[in-house]
Amino acid sequence: MTYTIVAFIWRKAGLSPADFKLHYETNHIPLLLSLMGPLFPLTHSRFYLERGPGTTSSLDASTTSYAPVIYVGTPNDFDYDVYCELVFEDAAAFQAFHARLQVLEVASKIAEDEEKFINRQKLKVAAVDEPMVTTRPSQ
């Protein structure tokens, strides 16, 4: 049975969504891969909010030029920039990953990079149950 961690991450104020995504994909993920080696999750999926130019009523001034595409709710409900799912073999694999994150050399390199593009004060991380998936019936 796999073990899944989810994270909601906000970009640093003044950084565009495109620059945030570029840094995450071209700097941060390669850094994590190099630092974590075989402890890296089985999968690390990132779901960036779809955004476009425009104004919003968001209280966060850094999002006013990048309105999220919303079907139900308000911009303030979706002020994060990326939702991540990290899937591990099991809870023990996650614990090993988490322990490696606490190693001073690793923690300082990750923190140094995150300071460049993430609002670390708003970061939210939690464990979730296995997904309940419903598929379309075949015709």
Side-chain angles (χ1 to χ4, degrees), residues 2-137:
T2 59
Y3 191 76
T4 303
I5 300 295
V6 297
F8 291 87
I9 303 173
W10 286 254
R11 70 184 184 283
K12 194 169 190 148
L15 194 63
S16 74
D19 288 340
F20 171 80
K21 183 177 182 180
L22 180 67
H23 188 94
Y24 204 143
E25 297 301 322
T26 62
N27 293 82
H28 198 64
I29 291 298
L31 176 66
L32 287 174
L33 282 163
S34 71
L35 293 172
M36 303 313 286
L39 298 178
F40 192 81
L42 293 171
T43 62
H44 184 311
S45 303
R46 293 159 307 283
F47 301 87
Y48 295 91
L49 277 183
E50 185 176 344
R51 294 186 181 274
T55 58
T56 72
S57 60
S58 175
L59 299 175
D60 180 355
S62 70
T63 67
T64 58
S65 297
Y66 310 103
V69 176
I70 299 171
Y71 296 103
V72 177
T74 69
N76 285 330
D77 296 331
F78 297 91
D79 63 342
Y80 63 90
D81 290 280
V82 65
Y83 158 79
C84 303
E85 290 181 2
L86 289 76
V87 179
F88 296 87
E89 293 89 341
D90 51 30
F94 167 71
Q95 292 302 328
F97 171 86
H98 191 259
R100 176 93 173 123
L101 288 176
Q102 307 309 307
V103 173
L104 183 59
E105 178 186 342
V106 173
S108 62
K109 287 180 181 179
I110 291 172
E112 180 182 346
D113 187 55
E114 287 179 347
E115 287 297 327
K116 296 174 184 174
F117 76 112
I118 290 176
N119 180 339
R120 296 179 79 201
Q121 284 112 2
K122 294 179 92 175
L123 177 66
K124 307 287 185 237
V125 181
V128 295
D129 284 338
E130 291 288 316
M132 305 300 289
V133 178
T134 304
T135 60
R136 180 187 314 163

